[in-house]
Amino acid sequence: MSGRASPVAHWLRGPVTGTLILAIPLMVVALLALDAGSLTTTRVVTIFFINIVLAVGLQSFIGLSGLVSLGHVAFMAIGAYAAGILVTPMAVKATSIPDAPAFLVETVIGFAPSLLVAAIVAMVIAVIVGPIMVRLSVAAAPIATLSMMIVVSVLLSNSTAITRGDQTFYGIPRNTGILTAATVSILVIFIARCLRDSGIGLSLRSSRKDELSARANGVNVFWVRLVAWVLSAGIMAIGGALYAQQLGAISPKLFLYDITFLVLSMVVLGGRSIAGAVVGVALVSIVVEILRRVETGISIAGHDLNGLANVGLGVIIIATMLLRSDGIMGSREFDEMLGRRKPRE
Amino acid sequence: MARGTFRNLMLFGASLLYCGVAQPALADGTYKIGFAGSISGFLATCDDPVLKGMQLAADELNKKGGIAGKYKVEISVVDSKSDPAQAQVAGSQLIDGGAQFMIGPCAGDIALATAQLAHDAGIPLISSVNADSFFVNKVGDGAFLIHPGAVAEGKALADYAVKARNLKTAYVVTSKDLVFTQQTSDGFAKEFEGAGGKVLQTDYIKLWQPSQAAIVSKIKAFSPRPDVIMSSQMIPDMPGFIRELRAAGLDTPVLLNDGNDSNLLFSSGADLGDVTVASVALATPGSSFAAFNQLYKDKNGKAPESSFVGAGGDILALINRAVETAGSTDPKAVASALAGIEDFQAVTGKYTYKDKSGVPTRDFLMIVPAKDNKSFAIRNTVKPDGSVN
């Protein structure tokens, strides 16, 4: 009676198994952190889960397409502001952004809808700018996407009536907790795995290996890259929405080089797979947290060690590039490693 | 490979457990102050000297028995790295560690990130040298500034312009980049026009530009010539701005916001001309601030790099006063006592918090370049009621 599984069920096996393998330890971490109960653990672990969302979002584009984007944080910023403005109570907005359009001041939505709206807004913008970005060569993409990030930052800085410009947008309810961030990160991992294991994902990976061959075999490189670009923009925006509702106050300067370097380093360290992004986030989080605790109050030859965490991060990246240029996980997912099957490329 | 990755995950778990380890309970007779300011990143220029001043003041207090003469001061420092996410972690770590009073970063979203945590935990917080007049409103009870606020500073500059200098028309150059640059010019414009003056033009510029030649050319071409230029910018921009103004032949009086009361203002080497800076702290000979600076020099072998060192001394003096008045270290009682402080002489000057919900009222000193063009001298003092001496 046990016939073959349906094609959809067969296809879903990879994403579901891969997500479960990551979800179980992630939920254990979340529950342990909740049980520990300290404010510090809560903050560190919540930021860890938000970083997973961001790293998986970035990985969904650069890991599959091979194009390096230095500007994805722009979508994070768009998501943070879209969600931040919409969840903030009307009484706060009436004083903080009194000149904003009435519907923005008067509209207040909940946490889950804010993530959805943030993703939609970013994806619409990604659809508009995507046709330019995904046509670029591997060499041109980093600088073009970086320019996009700067343009978005300047627009946010100058949209004073809506964003408060360079000044802090405050009063955002701090809705993001450990369990919500963990749940969203697992959901995002599943979505990213579905993209990776789909025909579009396979086409993207083949175009990454050899674009000309992929085109010769009928792959519409422009189209598959655009799909990944838009989806990754949506995921980054969800990360931004979580981030805004974790901090409670945001400004455009938060979404520039520091966070770009942090997320990119996590992705580069982990490798080109979704599991690699998660492993990269975990390793960087551990190292940064340990160094952050070590650096305070210690000095060598009269020089304080402030900033040691950033130095450590830089050293890790250099070492990884020297020793494992494909990152720790390469292109592999955990389920592929456990099942001893090679990644479909 | 799988084993290596598994080992990494285990390490992460171990790190999390490390994060969750409970801090040892405080010994009796200790008052623990948590410093979550930024000693790295762009806010270090204000927070780092504040910390140095706090540490000096704490050492001096401890020689006399500690806070209120009986609680040894212990300052725990966690760098917020000029980053709001790290500021939350730093604040959390200090609160978990038993901080009874918190010192937050000096500006913007980074200060708010820590202040909200302290507010939620019911622990009083001073946002080091923050000048955002509405910061306390954004956080709620238990948050304090030691600066009277940028709006009050702008008003003081306007009172000085009208009452002491009889200046009637103004050209305002300001920036929306920082809360306090805009608040200062807003406060100035409102008070200046309320007192019968007229703001002819307001221009917004970007801070941290290599040259302000464009705005200087615009001012030069502007007609009619204003009586005064009010400029709300920061060092390192300001010395170049003044130099370019004077090089363009404009000898118009210039009013500058707080933060420019630094010897770095003279760094361009040019004659500043008729320049007045609003300040809350000038170490005049014989003052308590000068004595504190000398103490710092004796201990460190060099003079303080910034007046913010004195602000660190103010913070410890205010906490000491609040604990003495409260008669206990209970956070609520200390916050309440601090909110009621009146006419209290700290290191750099007098403080009154009463009825001001966490924002002190203080005199503003209108300081001008001394004859040596290397230091400042007090020209006038503007009282909180707007009177000018």
Side-chain angles (χ1 to χ4, degrees), chain A residues 40 167 251 286 292 295-296, chain B residues 77 81 93 96 109 182:
Chain A
T40 315
Q167 297 183 19
S251 63
I286 291 166
R292 189 183 70 78
E295 69 185 6
T296 304
Chain B
V77 181
K81 299 178 180 295
Q93 196 174 331
D96 282 339
D109 34 19
Q182 187 174 358

Side-chain angles (χ1 to χ4, degrees), chain B residues 78-116:
Chain B
V78 181
D79 185 6
S80 63
K81 299 178 180 295
S82 306
D83 174 83
Q86 286 301 319
Q88 278 197 340
V89 173
S92 303
Q93 196 174 331
L94 290 164
I95 292 168
D96 282 339
Q100 293 157 290
F101 202 107
M102 290 284 291
I103 310 303
C106 61
D109 34 19
I110 301 160
L112 280 171
T114 310
Q116 287 167 341

